[in-house]
């Protein structure tokens, strides 16, 4: 067995080798054939288009948008499904579906709501009070638990705001709800279903894995700044039509600055610029780049950085969570479920989140007469069904419907479909979540630039992560700041502070109580506990 001094020596040698390797890593050699531009915008989703629009608004027209798909819109992604009486298909959203928070009278508007009105996007009010509850025996009214949960959730939000303002230690939503009086037993599946509807349905993560401080803040800030209304998009053009509409304000038809089907493989960055290499061997050389890839893509290693991103940046990318939110669509030859109710909540007798949340699209105001219903699963259940065949998932879900409606004969669907977001190479997930114990400093490192390489997207928004409007705000800000660097000026957006130059990052992060104030009682090797030196 090696002595302690030998282990220390080995560690020092390993660190020295790693440091020397990092020091000699150089950006990939730039090809003379690379297409030149001032700013390369990587990704054509909401953040990428907002960034390019901000550049255009600042009179910077020399930019390129590099997009993996053959379309723009990103995770605002729709497809055709089923059939109408005339044989034409319906449109359903696989990704972003709600305008979350509209506007308060006399107050600011959610920019997504502003765009929805501008482009006459068809949408309808999601009435979260229009809900019926079921278990394995059929209809069972446990809706009284909704009020109990909401009261506890409200108390938790108040406590979360205190912790945020006073810079106190974070905790999980699970512990926050428990302290606020909501602590469902594992066998209380009705309470588990209510909790899933009230938390997981929004966060795509369970309370155990969500930050109480920032999970509560994200919802509360959207509701406080805009409104508590949530409108469901039913436009046959798709939710992404607001993004393509904005793009058309500064891009011409067949604009050569939009490079579709461009699969980025490597990003070479230095103090003098950024070179982006696609998997087909083509490349773009830019003075600056704005990377709007999803957190899932950044965590997947499908895009290589040369040199590797610094440790503070890589740590931030790994620290945050990418959630998965799967909508499973059915069309039947009839609407056998209640047509006047928007949501149907199922409490599985054994498994939390097992085909829990059903939503009717055949209801008035949505797609009446469509006979379409879909069920949402998240997190572990999403990962599980993504490994299954369509047929396996369809039969599982049909058994749940037969439990919910024991007096009905549930037929095979005439159409069935669901996305597999964790396997989608330009997304690798649905949207981000803020894990427990991650600070604002760590999040700042997630959004901070690395030299001339900038970052934007919904995950980069401390206030609105997980929301489409978060992507819009972050894209617009990154585009404006890069424009300021190109034009050697400071930037001021809305009522925010003036911003000059690069973003701040933190090489070292500390917890709410610095580690040097603590010691290991009984020693680390004996698995001692961490206590204050005054106690030790």
């Amino acid at each position: 067995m090696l002595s302690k001094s030998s282990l220390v020596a080995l560690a020092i040698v390993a660190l020295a080798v790693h440091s020397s390797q990092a020091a000699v890593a150089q950006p990939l050699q730039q090809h003379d054939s690379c297409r030149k531009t001032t700013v390369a915008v990587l990704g054509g989703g909401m953040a990428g288009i907002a960034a390019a629009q901000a550049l255009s608004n600042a009179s910077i027209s020399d930019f390129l948008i590099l997009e993996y798909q053959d379309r723009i819109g990103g995770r605002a992604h729709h497809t055709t499904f089923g059939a109408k009486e005339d044989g034409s298909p319906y449109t359903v959203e696989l990704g972003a579906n709600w305008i979350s928070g509209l506007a308060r009278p006399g107050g600011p508007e959610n920019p997504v709501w502003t765009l929805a009105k501008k482009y006459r996007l068809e949408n309808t009010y999601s009435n979260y009070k229009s809900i019926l509850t079921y278990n394995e025996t059929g209809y069972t009214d446990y809706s009284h638990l909704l009020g109990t949960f909401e009261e506890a959730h409200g108390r938790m939000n108040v406590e979360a705001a205190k912790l945020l303002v006073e810079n106190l230690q974070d905790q999980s939503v699970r512990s926050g709800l428990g302290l606020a009086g909501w602590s469902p037993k594992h066998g209380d599946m009705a309470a588990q279903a209510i909790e899933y509807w009230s938390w997981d349905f929004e966060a795509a993560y369970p309370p155990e894995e969500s930050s109480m401080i920032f999970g509560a803040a994200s919802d509360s800030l959207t509701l406080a700044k805009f409104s508590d209304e949530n409108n469901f998009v039913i436009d046959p053009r798709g939710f992404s039509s607001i993004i393509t509409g904005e793009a058309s304000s500064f891009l011409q038809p067949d604009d050569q600055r939009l490079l579709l089907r461009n699969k980025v493989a490597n990003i070479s960055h230095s103090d003098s610029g950024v070179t982006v290499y696609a998997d087909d061997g083509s490349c773009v050389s830019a003075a600056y780049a704005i990377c709007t890839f999803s957190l899932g893509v950044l965590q997947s290693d499908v895009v290589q950085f040369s040199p590797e991103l610094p440790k503070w940046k890589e740590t931030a990318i790994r620290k945050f969570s990418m959630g998965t939110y799967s909508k499973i669509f059915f069309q039947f030859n009839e609407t056998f479920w209640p047509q006047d109710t928007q949501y149907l909540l199922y409490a599985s007798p054994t498994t939390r989140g097992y085909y829990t949340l059903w939503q009717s699209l055949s209801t008035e105001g949505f797609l009446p007469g469509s006979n379409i219903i879909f069920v949402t699963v998240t997190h572990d259940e999403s990962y599980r069904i993504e490994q299954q065949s369509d047929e396996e998932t369809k039969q599982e879900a049909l058994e749940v419907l037969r439990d919910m409606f024991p007096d009905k004969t549930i037929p095979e669907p005439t159409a069935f479909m669901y996305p597999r977001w964790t396997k989608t190479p330009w997304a690798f997930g649905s949207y981000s979540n803020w894990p427990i114990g991650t600070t604002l400093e760590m999040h700042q490192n997630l959004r901070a630039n690395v030299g001339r390489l900038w970052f934007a997207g919904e995950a980069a928004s401390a206030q609105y992560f997980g929301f489409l409007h978060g992507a819009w705000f972050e894209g617009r800000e990154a585009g404006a700041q890069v424009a300021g660097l190109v034009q050697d000026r400071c930037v001021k957006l809305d009522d925010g502070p003036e911003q000059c130059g690069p973003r701040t990052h933190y090489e070292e992060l500390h917890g709410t109580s610095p580690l040097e104030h603590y010691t290991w009682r009984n020693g680390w090797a004996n698995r001692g506990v961490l206590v204050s030196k005054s106690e030790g």
Side-chain angles (χ1 to χ4, degrees):
M1 180 180 293
L2 291 174
S3 66
K4 181 177 180 182
S5 59
S6 298
L7 288 170
V8 171
L10 283 173
I12 292 172
V13 170
L15 284 171
V17 170
H18 176 79
S19 298
S20 64
Q21 290 173 339
V24 299
Q26 298 294 325
L28 293 178
Q29 200 66 27
Q30 180 176 318
H31 298 304
D32 291 336
S33 59
C34 290
R35 184 172 174 181
K36 306 296 191 297
T37 191
T38 301
V39 183
V41 178
L42 311 183
M46 175 63 93
I49 296 304
Q53 187 174 44
L55 293 169
S56 181
N57 290 344
S59 300
I60 295 176
S61 59
D62 183 25
F63 58 82
L64 296 174
I65 303 171
L66 284 61
E67 168 55 44
Y68 184 105
Q69 301 180 81
D70 60 0
R71 62 170 189 89
I72 61 175
R75 285 167 278 161
H77 184 36
H78 63 276
T79 191
T80 55
F81 177 72
K84 302 175 185 177
E85 289 185 0
D86 63 4
S88 62
Y90 289 96
T91 296
V92 295
E93 300 290 341
L94 300 176
N97 215 145
W98 280 267
I99 306 167
S100 299
L102 309 184
R104 294 193 179 278
E109 277 194 353
N110 183 330
V112 177
W113 177 237
T114 304
L115 294 176
K117 293 190 297 180
K118 178 178 179 180
Y119 294 104
R120 294 181 172 85
L121 189 74
E122 289 185 46
N123 60 90
T124 190
Y125 174 60
S126 267
N127 183 3
Y128 290 156
K129 296 185 183 302
S130 178
I131 185 168
L132 294 173
T133 55
Y134 300 79
N135 64 14
E136 74 278 10
T137 67
Y139 172 74
T140 305
D141 187 5
Y142 51 86
S143 59
H144 60 282
L145 294 170
L146 285 166
T148 305
F149 180 90
E150 287 306 314
E151 290 174 5
H153 194 196
R155 289 192 290 270
M156 183 191 75
N157 284 351
V158 171
E159 187 62 27
K162 286 184 192 175
L163 298 182
L164 179 60
V165 169
E166 297 173 15
N167 194 29
L168 298 178
Q169 187 173 8
D170 194 10
Q171 57 188 295
S172 70
V173 169
R174 168 64 63 224
S175 64
L177 288 172
L179 291 168
W182 175 268
S183 186
K185 302 296 186 290
H186 287 296
D188 188 350
M189 303 312 291
Q192 296 282 358
I194 291 293
E195 183 179 88
Y196 184 92
W197 152 254
S198 301
W199 182 264
D200 301 46
F201 178 50
E202 186 77 49
Y205 263 81
E208 290 83 358
E209 299 183 46
S210 299
S211 163
M212 171 179 149
I213 290 178
F214 297 103
S218 179
D219 285 342
S220 298
L221 287 169
T222 290
L223 300 181
K225 185 166 185 176
F226 306 122
S227 73
D228 59 359
E229 298 162 288
N230 289 275
N231 282 19
F232 188 87
V233 174
I234 53 171
D235 199 296
R237 298 168 297 170
F239 204 162
S240 62
S241 61
I242 64 172
I243 302 175
T244 56
E246 286 299 276
S248 68
S249 70
F250 60 89
L251 292 177
Q252 300 300 316
D254 300 319
D255 200 306
Q256 296 303 300
R257 294 175 296 174
L258 176 60
L259 308 182
L260 299 175
R261 294 177 290 277
N262 188 292
K263 301 177 182 179
V264 174
N266 186 285
I267 301 172
S268 176
H269 56 99
S270 70
D271 291 339
S272 59
V274 180
T275 303
V276 183
Y277 297 84
D279 67 349
D280 64 0
S282 63
C283 53
V284 168
S285 178
Y288 294 89
I290 303 172
C291 179
T292 69
F293 296 157
S294 77
L295 180 64
V297 168
L298 294 176
Q299 292 176 339
S300 70
D301 297 325
V302 294
V303 177
Q304 300 299 310
F305 292 88
S306 180
E308 293 182 354
L309 294 174
K311 185 178 179 181
W312 61 263
K313 187 69 176 184
E314 183 66 22
T315 300
I317 289 171
R318 300 293 177 183
K319 180 69 175 175
F320 286 85
S321 304
M322 188 68 174
T324 302
Y325 186 102
S326 306
K327 289 181 280 189
I328 308 167
F329 293 90
F330 297 77
Q331 184 180 41
F332 293 95
N333 56 13
E334 63 173 326
T335 299
F336 55 79
W337 56 92
Q339 296 188 41
D340 58 352
T341 302
Q342 293 187 23
Y343 295 96
L344 313 173
L345 193 62
Y346 171 73
S348 163
T350 59
T351 307
R352 185 182 184 280
Y354 185 81
Y355 302 105
T356 294
L357 185 57
W358 296 78
Q359 185 171 351
S360 173
L361 293 184
S362 204
T363 301
E364 192 64 36
F366 292 80
L367 303 174
S370 66
N371 302 325
I372 295 176
I373 191 170
F374 70 93
V375 59
T376 298
V377 300
T378 60
H379 198 49
D380 287 345
E381 282 301 296
S382 282
Y383 304 142
R384 185 182 70 81
I385 68 164
E386 287 198 8
Q387 308 310 313
Q388 296 185 158
S389 67
D390 280 14
E391 186 63 24
E392 288 174 305
T393 300
K394 180 177 71 173
Q395 294 305 323
E396 285 181 352
L398 286 175
E399 283 303 310
V400 169
L401 286 173
R402 288 166 186 143
D403 282 349
M404 294 169 66
F405 303 101
D407 58 336
K408 304 284 187 181
T409 299
I410 310 298
E412 285 287 313
T414 57
F416 175 81
M417 176 269 298
Y418 66 97
R420 288 171 169 82
W421 280 108
T422 64
K423 297 175 180 289
T424 301
W426 47 266
F428 290 120
S430 299
Y431 51 83
S432 65
N433 184 57
W434 199 304
I436 309 156
T438 302
T439 64
L440 284 166
E441 286 185 352
M442 178 68 81
H443 187 266
Q444 178 61 20
N445 281 0
L446 181 65
R447 70 193 298 271
N449 61 293
V450 178
R452 294 190 172 213
L453 177 60
W454 285 63
F455 294 83
E458 54 83 11
S461 174
Q463 301 97 319
Y464 310 116
F465 62 91
F467 291 107
L468 195 60
H469 51 276
W472 184 88
F473 278 116
E474 286 299 307
R476 184 186 66 142
E477 182 171 323
Q481 286 186 266
V482 169
L485 288 170
V486 171
Q487 298 168 340
D488 194 24
R489 60 179 176 81
C490 295
V491 174
K492 182 176 174 60
L493 290 174
D494 303 328
D495 56 353
E498 190 172 67
Q499 301 177 67
C500 308
R503 290 174 173 170
T504 300
H505 74 267
Y506 301 88
E507 293 284 348
E508 293 184 345
L509 299 167
H510 300 284
T512 52
S513 299
L515 189 61
E516 58 266 24
H517 293 174
Y518 290 80
T519 186
W520 287 104
R521 178 184 285 165
N522 299 328
W524 178 86
N526 295 323
R527 297 192 179 186
V529 293
L530 194 64
V531 297
S532 168
K533 285 184 177 178
S534 62
E535 297 174 31

